[in-house]
Each structure stands twice: as C-alpha cells, then as structure tokens.
Amino acid sequence: MPLTSDEIDRYARHLVLRDVGGPGQLKLKAARVLVVGAGGLGAPLIQYLAAAGVGTIGLVDDDTVSLSNLQRQVIHGTPDVGAPKVESAARAVLRLNPHVTVETHNLRLTPGNARELIRRYDIVAEGTDNFEARYTVSDACFSEKKPLVTAALGQFDGSLTIIKAHESGPDGAPNPTYRCLFPSPPPPGAIPTCAEAGVLGALAGVMGSLMAMEVVREIVGFGESLVGRLLMVDARSMRFDTIRYGWDETNPLNGRKATGAA
C-alpha cells in the first residue's frame, strides 16, 4: 500500500535519506517484526520500531509491570504497574503511531510454541533476560529461516549480534548459529539475574536503540549487518568493540553432523 499524506509527513526524515527513501519506508510499512521481551531492551526497541513505521509489531511477554521495572523499561509508566507488559507496551505504541498494528502475545515462548509463532513474522528481535528463552528463540528462528537480532545486558555492559544461520556467507560456508557463539547456557546460578546484580537503566536504552537500528537495517537493506560479528559495549569506559565469530562445524543446527535441533 502507498504511503498516506500523514505518513509522508511523519516519515519525512526517512524519506530524504538516500539509503531509505520511499522504497525503504514501504518495506518498513510491509514488515512484520516479532519482539520477544517488553522489558529493558524491548522498551526502546519497540518505541523506535513503531516510530520508524514498522507495519506490524508482535509483542511477546508473560510478565506484568512492576515499580522496579520503571528505572529502565521506559515504555511503561507508573499507571501501568500491575498491567500485562504486552498490553502496556501496545498502548504506548498506538499513542506514538496509529499506523502501526500491534499483535500481543501474553505468553512465554517454549520449544512447543516458538516455531508456530515465529513463522508468522519476517524478523525476530529478542531481548529477554534468561538463557532458556534465548536458545529457544534462536533455535526456532533457524528452523523457520528467520533473521534474529539478539542482545543482552550486564551491569555496565551489553552485547548485540544478528543471527542468519539459515543462509550462507560470501565464502559459501554456513553463517554461524547462536550456538556457534555460545554453545551452551551457563550453569544455573553462574550469572546473577538483573534483580540480583542490578543494571544501569540508560544502558538498556542504548542497547535497545541499537537493536532497533539493526532491525531497520535488516528490513531496508543498507550498510553492513552484524552477521558473524558481536558488538560489545562497555559503559564504564564508553568503549564499543566488535569481535568476529564464525561457523562451528560441531554445532547441532547446521554443523557437519547436524540433527536440526539442539
């Protein structure tokens, strides 16, 4: 569908960008993005996707808003305490941009339901705070051939990458999976939770905004993506570093002895 006069005015700063323009904005309007987690990372991610004009945003989260969330989960407000996060976030999106369709999924993704949900979308962005969800989402994205933007937060550090393991790189080798980067989750209790260790609120804003930029990049198609590269942010020293990682032939998804499942 063409852009309306209101959308042309709303997205004017995108439309004059040579690498976005009208064709890129129409791609954003047609895109369906699934955001897994409406918390610290999901809050700025969802807001910037909505502001950018992503046509359909799916929201997955089974949690409710608590007062301790508001230090970093800026899509929610004090009146939303006690409400399901997906509903609070959906209201914020519609206030920001009425041209966006929001699909709420007040549930926890599991190996039993992840693939069915993920296959309805073009790209997935995951910013949960638990390893079980990260592996479930990344495995399902591989099986359903969907790009995955995934990020994580520490106390004063964060990381971000894009997984497109269903495709091959320029050299013909398979792209790495999430399990090539992190073969298995750490033992339970090895890494303290956000509630136990704390997290700098503004850092969630930085990393969630970077996630949104990578989702937009993937949809529109400009610059160099983070496939095979892990962006690491150190907020203490304000350093941004990137390390490269590659395909591990022993990984269970697209390795030489792949089973198709972990």
Side-chain angles (χ1 to χ4, degrees), residues 203-225:
L203 176 63
V206 171
M207 298 307 301
S209 298
L210 288 172
M211 290 180 74
M213 187 162 63
E214 292 308 304
V215 172
V216 171
R217 184 199 310 279
E218 182 64 28
I219 294 168
V220 175
F222 61 86
E224 181 184 359
S225 81

Side-chain angles (χ1 to χ4, degrees), residues 25-250:
Q25 194 63 51
L26 287 172
K27 289 180 181 178
L28 290 168
K29 183 175 182 176
R32 293 176 53 83
V33 177
L34 182 66
V35 177
V36 184
L41 291 168
L45 166 63
I46 294 163
Q47 289 173 304
Y48 273 109
L49 293 182
V54 170
T56 302
I57 301 176
L59 306 178
V60 180
D61 202 307
D62 68 342
D63 199 6
T64 58
V65 180
S66 66
L67 194 59
S68 63
N69 296 150
L70 303 185
Q71 161 256 12
R72 64 203 176 280
Q73 299 181 18
V74 294
I75 201 168
H76 312 297
T78 304
D80 300 312
V81 170
K85 286 184 178 179
V86 292
E87 294 182 7
S88 171
R91 289 193 293 269
V93 167
L94 296 178
R95 287 194 299 270
L96 178 62
N97 191 346
H99 299 286
V100 175
T101 298
V102 182
E103 298 175 348
T104 58
H105 308 281
N106 190 2
L107 52 82
R108 179 178 292 270
L109 282 185
T110 68
N113 64 20
R115 290 186 59 177
E116 180 182 358
L117 183 57
I118 284 171
R119 72 170 59 113
R120 306 179 199 172
Y121 295 87
D122 303 317
I123 182 171
V124 178
E126 180 273 325
T128 63
D129 60 357
N130 71 86
F131 287 96
E132 180 182 1
R134 291 174 192 166
Y135 284 89
T136 294
V137 172
S138 63
D139 289 352
C141 284
F142 171 78
S143 298
E144 295 300 325
K145 298 180 171 56
K146 304 293 183 179
L148 170 64
V149 175
T150 180
L153 288 175
Q155 293 175 305
F156 291 90
D157 60 274
S159 61
L160 169 67
T161 191
I162 298 178
I163 306 293
K164 297 176 72 174
H166 56 286
E167 297 181 359
S168 298
D171 59 357
N175 283 335
T177 70
Y178 186 79
R179 291 179 181 272
C180 297
L181 181 60
F182 301 111
S184 59
I191 297 179
T193 66
C194 174
E196 294 168 337
V199 61
L200 186 66
L203 176 63
V206 171
M207 298 307 301
S209 298
L210 288 172
M211 290 180 74
M213 187 162 63
E214 292 308 304
V215 172
V216 171
R217 184 199 310 279
E218 182 64 28
I219 294 168
V220 175
F222 61 86
E224 181 184 359
S225 81
L226 285 172
V227 173
R229 298 189 297 148
L230 180 69
L231 175 67
M232 299 181 297
V233 178
D234 182 348
R236 289 185 184 275
S237 59
M238 209 54 190
R239 289 187 55 180
F240 287 66
D241 296 306
T242 304
I243 62 170
R244 292 192 176 272
Y245 64 97
W247 173 64
D248 179 0
E249 65 178 24
T250 66

